[in-house]
Amino acid sequence: MMETLILKTDENSLSSAKKILEEGGLVAFPTETVYGLGANAFDGEAVKKIYEVKGRPQDNPLIVHVHKDYDIERIVCDIPQYARSLAQKFMPGPLTMVFKSRGAVSPIVSCGLDTVGVRVPSHPDAQKFLKYVDLPIAAPSANISKHVSPVTAGHVYADFAGRIPLILDGGKCTGGIESTVLDCTGEIPCVLRSGLVTREMIAEVAGDCNVFVPKAGEKVRSPGMKYKHYSPNCLTMLFSYAERSRAAEEYARQRAEGVKAYVMCDESLAAALEKDVPSEHILNLGRSGEEIAANLYYKLREGESVADLIIAVAPEKQDGVMVGVMNRLTKACGGDKA
Ligand code: TXA
Ligand code: MG
């Protein structure tokens, strides 16, 4: 077991981070979405360690993170005009764009695909870190595979204490769900994973935008999407908004049996359920889509630390940012655990 340091991002911690990465080690760092677990993307052996430490399936490619002044054409090619416009508008920010690889980063990053996902995170500490190390950093979310993604340094520590040397602490992530993954290898961009940059926002800049919907039997294009994901270490149930009164009944039934049941829902539903579910048993996600996204993983992690069972109820609103939220909530708490 190694010692795992949690350090604020400063000259001292950045120089340790650089040394660790140059020696083929891993460093966890904050971004505006979730924390990442980074390795030098040029170093195949270092990238392999990410898969080992996370227990990540070998066919799920990693995103490469670079600072805002990094010339991404060093690692990818065939960048269409619409992608340049999108980069202007949304980078730095919670958008990952998939392009054809130049073959510069290790093939292990993309699991042998001929493409690479590139992201420029906007979190100031992420920018400082990427600038200081001046390397493209391959990084998935810094959680054990299938567990809830981390939005604080403490969450990363809970999953990896003793297994990685350094966590850069940048406070609580403000975005709260992972970046939108956008395939930019075709004539029209295509959302592979929804996030805070919505299909509508992309279409407004790019003229048009598709959303990839896997059909039965079809090859999955963002391989990560086929796995069970984001799951808290307790039992879960998911009710639709229409089933909200059944959720309250389930809560009462479980409590009567001595089960520590908690209800996860948005603020308006929390108010509506006030008579049936006391506020100390509610994991309140907040009001707007952005607020709900920012609280989702935080509340799932809080929930697993106190609850035997999380009874999640979907918010009424399902558009915009809520598309990404519902995708995560369904995988975390729903029956869709393939
Ligand atoms: O916000 C985020 O994206 C966070 C932070 C750390 O940047 N990272 C993150 O990484 O969520 P990860 O590994 O948990 O998810 C990466 C997703 C997966 O669904 C993966 O399949 C997809 O991006 N992806 C990566 N490279 C790809 C590629 N070349 N083609 C298609 N999908 C790709
Ligand atoms: Mg992940």
Side-chain angles (χ1 to χ4, degrees):
M1 292 285 266
M2 61 175 85
E3 192 189 2
T4 301
L5 296 177
I6 304 181
L7 299 174
K8 293 267 174 251
T9 308
D10 57 20
E11 181 66 32
N12 173 46
S13 61
L14 287 172
S15 93
S16 307
K18 188 175 167 86
K19 186 154 174 286
I20 291 165
L21 292 168
E22 284 172 354
E23 289 170 357
L26 308 182
V27 173
F29 62 100
T31 82
E32 72 280 18
T33 58
V34 301
Y35 276 70
L37 181 61
N40 174 0
F42 293 135
D43 182 346
E45 289 305 310
V47 176
K48 274 189 199 158
K49 283 187 194 159
I50 295 177
Y51 288 87
E52 284 163 23
V53 169
K54 274 189 63 115
R56 182 177 176 103
Q58 300 279 345
D59 63 348
N60 187 8
L62 305 175
I63 295 169
V64 174
H65 299 68
V66 296
H67 64 73
K68 65 180 173 34
D69 302 317
Y70 193 90
D71 179 9
I72 66 167
E73 294 192 67
R74 285 163 68 180
I75 51 182
V76 295
C77 54
D78 298 352
I79 300 176
Q81 192 51 48
Y82 69 75
R84 293 184 194 279
S85 310
L86 289 168
Q88 274 281 320
K89 176 97 180 174
F90 299 116
M91 281 181 167
L95 176 66
T96 296
M97 294 204 266
V98 174
F99 299 111
K100 193 155 180 60
S101 175
R102 247 186 219 292
V105 299
S106 164
I108 296 170
V109 169
S110 293
C111 307
L113 298 173
D114 61 357
T115 54
V116 179
V118 188
R119 170 157 133 71
V120 183
S122 65
H123 192 299
D125 287 353
Q127 282 294 319
K128 275 186 215 156
F129 164 66
L130 293 165
K131 198 119 207 183
Y132 193 97
V133 302
D134 200 28
L135 287 167
I137 298 295
S141 49
N143 52 279
I144 299 283
S145 190
K146 301 179 176 55
H147 193 207
V148 181
S149 298
V151 293
T152 67
H155 292 163
V156 181
Y157 190 84
D159 281 16
F160 294 121
R163 306 194 53 207
I164 60 171
L166 176 61
I167 303 167
L168 295 174
D169 188 350
K172 185 179 172 216
C173 303
T174 53
I177 59 171
E178 299 85 349
S179 62
T180 304
V181 178
L182 189 69
D183 182 348
C184 296
T185 60
E187 255 166 59
I188 297 171
C190 180
V191 173
L192 304 180
R193 176 177 74 184
S194 48
L196 295 173
V197 178
T198 63
R199 192 204 77 85
E200 293 75 20
M201 290 157 74
I202 294 163
E204 204 175 298
V205 174
D208 200 357
C209 180
N210 295 325
V211 176
F212 181 68
V213 185
K215 296 189 192 76
E218 196 179 337
K219 196 167 178 287
V220 183
R221 277 175 48 202
S222 191
M225 301 305 282
K226 74 181 177 203
Y227 295 105
K228 168 187 167 174
H229 250 107
Y230 321 119
S231 299
N233 297 326
C234 64
L235 294 172
T236 58
M237 288 181 181
L238 176 62
F239 289 86
S240 68
Y241 183 76
E243 297 167 323
R244 58 197 180 281
S245 51
R246 276 191 45 217
E249 285 161 27
E250 186 64 34
Y251 163 83
R253 181 163 42 243
Q254 295 285 349
R255 281 278 164 181
E257 283 175 17
V259 175
K260 282 188 242 158
Y262 284 70
V263 173
M264 175 177 271
C265 62
D266 70 3
E267 180 133 345
S268 62
L269 198 52
L273 293 176
E274 207 174 33
K275 287 196 301 352
D276 305 311
V277 186
S279 61
E280 67 267 24
H281 292 167
I282 292 217
L283 298 159
N284 189 335
L285 295 171
R287 211 169 278 275
S288 67
E290 284 73 17
E291 204 182 323
I292 292 170
N295 287 328
L296 181 66
Y297 292 147
Y298 192 86
K299 289 290 173 183
L300 284 169
R301 290 251 181 181
E302 184 186 318
E304 71 179 9
S305 73
V306 293
D308 299 325
L309 168 68
I310 297 175
I311 301 171
V313 190
E316 186 172 21
K317 191 167 136 18
Q318 301 270 316
D319 58 345
V321 171
M322 286 305 299
V323 176
V325 170
M326 280 311 298
N327 167 277
R328 300 334 189 262
L329 189 59
T330 307
K331 288 187 179 173
C333 296
D336 178 20
K337 298 210 167 165

